[in-house]
Amino acid sequence: MAPISAATPVPYLGYRRYGSTVGGRSVTMTLTFIPAADKKPAGCEGRYFYGRGNQGELYLGTPAEYRAPGPLVLVE
């Protein structure tokens, strides 16, 4: 395996949590970036919900392999 050069961006892996508002309502979104492994492509899974609880969660996922630093496309 060739070493990663300083010019090669290393994709972010792990968990992120974001909070904001949409139409005056608070919304929370969590994302987990998953590395490629065992013939499965790298991807991203997540969920979002409005308000303070996690009732009515909507799940998110990538429709295809995620390749950083390209745009991240999620579908419900």
Side-chain angles (χ1 to χ4, degrees):
M1 179 182 291
I4 296 174
S5 72
T8 304
V10 177
Y12 174 80
L13 299 174
Y15 174 84
R16 291 279 198 220
R17 182 181 177 106
Y18 302 94
S20 189
T21 58
V22 174
R25 296 176 60 195
S26 66
V27 64
T28 301
M29 180 173 64
T30 61
L31 297 175
T32 303
F33 293 88
I34 304 161
D38 297 328
K39 299 181 182 178
K40 286 182 68 177
C44 179
E45 297 175 347
R47 62 192 178 115
Y48 71 97
F49 54 90
Y50 291 92
R52 297 192 182 271
N54 59 354
Q55 296 175 348
E57 287 180 324
L58 297 166
Y59 292 90
L60 305 168
T62 50
E65 181 177 7
Y66 171 61
R67 294 180 182 241
L72 175 62
V73 177
L74 298 168
V75 294
E76 293 180 340

